[in-house]
Amino acid sequence: MTATHFLKALEEVVGKDNVFTDEADRAVYAYDAAVLDPVMPAAVVRPSTPEALGRVVGLCNENAVPITVRGAGTNLSGGTIPKAHGVVVLTNALNRILEINVEDLYAVVEPGVITAKFAAAVEARGLFYPPDPGSQAVSTLGGNVAENAGGLRGLKYGVTRDYVMGLEFFDVNGDVVKTGSRTVKCVTGYNLASLLVGSEGTLGVIYKIILKLIPQPQHRKSMMAVFDHVLGASQTVAAIIAEKIVPATLEFLDNFTIRAVESFSRAGLPTEAAALLLIEVDGHPAQVEEDAAKVEAICRKLGAQRLRVAETAQERDKVWEARRAALSALAKLKPTVVLEDATVPRSRIPEMVQAVQEIAAKYHLTIGTFGHAGDGNLHPTILTDRRNSEEWHRVEKAVEEIFDRALALGGTLSGEHGIGLAKAPFMEKETTRATLEYSRRIKRALDPKNILNPGKVIGEA
Ligand SMILES: Cc1cc2nc3c(=O)[nH]c(=O)nc-3n(C[C@H](O)[C@H](O)[C@H](O)COP(=O)(O)OP(=O)(O)OC[C@H]3O[C@@H](n4cnc5c(N)ncnc54)[C@H](O)[C@@H]3O)c2cc1C
């Protein structure tokens, strides 16, 4: 089929108004939230039914045209940067919440549903969907599943993978594959949902998701612990976990990030603090009080000068919103912001925080560090200007050293941002050559023409 015939065939499937080939339209989908060069796709397609989505996948495979599915494009690893001659497929018209089942505690959704809208709809029915990436106001559930996104509540409630009960997706031919179910228990067939979660669009195209819901916690208490030493704050994180208390959230912000966030959001953060911990405990009211008292004692013992407890829901929300704005606040300060995702076992957090400080000094870079410290997931954020090639070279060195130090501490390349294009070259550092080869064999078997988001996760298959 010629390129013109191919575009015509796409138009027949999704309608003329849903195939975009103008340069301006294509440019909008040439990049994502990662700091990587944009790549112009040949076309952008917006199916509005699952059937149309499946036919688009099949058509692309028949014509050996690479396909990159895109939710909100907020991934930070280049997962939605297309191939030059490829097609970007948007999921924003597949945005229906099909069912919220309060008796059996699950929901069924299409992939383009916005995470925060879904969480609010679930909450309105008295239930709880915990995964809450910082991008939840715009990210999609399909993107969350494909990235196995985590969030501020990962420590106690886990990540997206822990809530995926079942998936329906299109294989490379556009044929329907179903895995999992609406039941709590299901061992029918291979656990294909586990293969798809975190596969970043490289093994199939998801069109329906069954998500587990849980009851709302009865009570919550949010605290802010103010430290004048970074080490004290990071030691407190490890000590709280070692005491076998599992807060719902345990977030870390260093002074640079605190100041950036405060000037951005005016939430009343103490800008003089060397570091802050934002802590929330939840559950049965008696348990919450007991845990909060223990957390407070640990914070004070390890050097917190002040502890502020949120008195009202508004006060609490203001602080959490400010924390979620950390990346946006930092991004305002310099033309280029490189957000890393180094994750270590929780007991190694103090060493990792120190390592980041050393790396910043060694390469003369500004690095603001914040993150989901309670689950070992830090986001060292380098502020730079990519046009300054000498500085950019130092940034690349620093990033590599951040990975190396995290791995040396028993950590991982990515806690939640995925591998995409950005970290594919580093995969072998954490795993083995055989691991990559094994993964490539799976990819080649399921996608022989290598059209499903090629180049991501495992590099070129
Ligand atoms: C300000 C900010 C804060 C963030 N905070 C967090 C955080 O706290 N935790 C976290 O984990 N991440 C975070 N992220 C990263 C990002 O938001 C998440 O990875 C999110 O899950 C991406 O969702 P999306 O809808 O934007 O997906 P996209 O970026 O559009 O896509 C992500 C990947 O999923 C694939 N994909 C999308 N839809 C489908 C589908 N239907 N079928 C198959 N593949 C599909 C894409 O091809 C791509 O590889 C943050 C990003 C930003 C910009």
Side-chain angles (χ1 to χ4, degrees):
M1 211 185 260
T2 65
T4 323
H5 283 110
F6 174 67
L7 288 174
K8 271 256 162 298
L10 286 177
E11 284 177 6
E12 272 163 31
V13 173
V14 298
K16 209 171 170 9
D17 292 347
N18 288 315
V19 178
F20 308 96
T21 51
D22 284 357
E23 192 176 349
D25 289 330
R26 289 183 292 125
V28 175
Y29 300 106
Y31 64 96
D32 56 29
V35 185
L36 292 169
D37 291 333
V39 178
M40 286 281 261
V44 179
V45 183
R46 186 173 179 266
S48 48
T49 63
E51 295 70 29
L53 175 65
R55 287 178 64 198
V56 168
V57 177
L59 259 179
C60 287
N61 191 42
E62 277 161 33
N63 291 279
V65 174
I67 165 172
T68 298
V69 185
R70 183 178 173 111
T74 66
N75 77 90
L76 291 154
S77 45
T80 40
I81 294 185
K83 280 279 183 190
H85 52 300
V87 163
V88 169
V89 176
L90 308 180
T91 60
N92 59 359
L94 298 164
N95 59 0
R96 290 177 304 156
I97 298 174
L98 301 169
E99 184 182 358
I100 295 179
N101 191 310
V102 291
E103 285 83 31
D104 290 323
L105 302 183
Y106 70 79
V108 185
V109 297
E110 291 186 332
V113 173
I114 303 290
T115 315
K117 279 193 184 160
F118 174 64
V122 166
E123 201 176 321
R125 305 291 297 276
L127 293 172
F128 189 29
Y129 177 69
D132 61 339
S135 51
Q136 63 173 355
V138 288
S139 76
T140 65
L141 290 168
N144 295 170
V145 171
E147 291 285 346
N148 189 19
L152 275 65
R153 302 187 190 111
L155 169 59
K156 177 168 177 181
Y157 291 104
V159 296
T160 304
R161 181 187 300 285
D162 301 306
Y163 293 85
V164 176
M165 294 169 72
L167 289 180
E168 294 184 19
F169 62 92
F170 294 111
D171 72 6
V172 76
N173 301 310
D175 291 331
V176 166
V177 182
K178 292 185 179 186
T179 176
S181 82
R182 289 161 170 76
T183 55
V184 173
K185 291 177 172 173
C186 170
V187 290
T188 305
Y190 292 141
N191 189 346
L192 300 178
S194 262
L195 187 63
L196 263 280
V197 175
S199 67
E200 304 186 23
T202 60
L203 299 177
V205 176
I206 300 159
Y207 69 90
K208 197 185 274 184
I209 309 166
I210 306 171
L211 290 168
K212 179 169 86 176
L213 306 175
I214 60 173
Q216 283 277 0
Q218 284 177 37
H219 190 57
R220 296 183 163 121
K221 197 163 190 173
S222 300
M223 293 166 266
M224 181 196 294
V226 183
F227 291 82
D228 60 6
H229 284 108
V230 172
L231 189 64
S234 57
Q235 285 172 337
T236 301
V237 173
I240 289 172
I241 305 298
E243 196 59 32
K244 299 180 184 58
I245 301 165
V246 185
T249 307
L250 178 40
E251 297 284 310
F252 171 92
L253 282 80
D254 71 1
N255 174 266
F256 191 82
T257 313
I258 298 166
R259 284 186 288 124
V261 169
E262 185 53 20
S263 78
F264 184 79
S265 64
R266 307 273 172 226
L269 303 185
T271 49
E272 76 293 348
L276 281 185
L277 292 181
L278 302 176
I279 308 159
E280 183 165 288
V281 285
D282 68 2
H284 186 277
Q287 186 72 50
V288 169
E289 291 311 320
E290 194 177 307
D291 285 352
K294 281 188 192 163
V295 166
E296 187 172 340
I298 295 168
C299 289
R300 292 204 190 281
K301 189 172 156 208
L302 287 166
Q305 312 128 349
R306 267 185 300 137
L307 257 135
R308 213 161 83 193
V309 176
E311 299 296 342
T312 60
Q314 286 87 332
E315 201 183 318
R316 164 185 178 268
D317 290 348
K318 204 169 163 190
V319 172
W320 291 124
E321 279 314 312
R323 158 60 190 89
R324 286 198 176 92
L327 176 57
S328 317
L330 289 166
K332 274 184 68 174
L333 304 178
K334 279 273 193 125
T336 313
V337 61
V338 179
L339 179 76
E340 273 318 330
D341 189 22
T343 302
V344 293
R346 296 168 295 200
S347 60
R348 315 301 293 269
I349 279 277
E351 288 159 89
M352 193 62 212
V353 169
Q354 200 176 336
V356 173
Q357 288 178 331
E358 285 164 13
I359 292 166
K362 178 173 169 187
Y363 294 101
H364 310 291
L365 293 169
T366 305
I367 308 186
T369 297
F370 66 97
H372 319 301
D375 51 31
N377 187 187
L378 287 177
H379 293 315
T381 305
I382 307 176
L383 303 187
T384 179
D385 184 346
R386 206 180 171 186
R387 292 164 299 188
N388 177 342
S389 56
E390 185 276 324
E391 185 172 274
W392 185 248
H393 182 64
R394 282 186 277 126
V395 170
E396 288 178 323
K397 289 254 177 236
V399 166
E400 203 165 337
E401 196 160 331
I402 289 172
F403 293 154
D404 287 341
R405 298 287 282 266
L407 293 179
L409 290 170
T412 178
L413 288 172
S414 176
E416 57 179 21
H417 291 168
I419 297 297
L421 287 176
K423 295 188 191 175
F426 299 100
M427 277 283 281
E428 210 177 305
K429 272 193 182 199
E430 180 176 339
T431 60
T432 62
R433 178 159 296 187
T435 312
L436 269 178
E437 231 352 273
Y438 188 87
S439 308
R440 285 180 181 142
R441 288 208 296 273
I442 293 175
K443 169 77 170 161
R444 284 196 288 263
L446 294 176
D447 178 16
K449 294 183 191 165
N450 192 24
I451 64 135
L452 294 174
N453 215 7
K456 315 297 163 17
V457 188
I458 52 172
E460 284 310 325

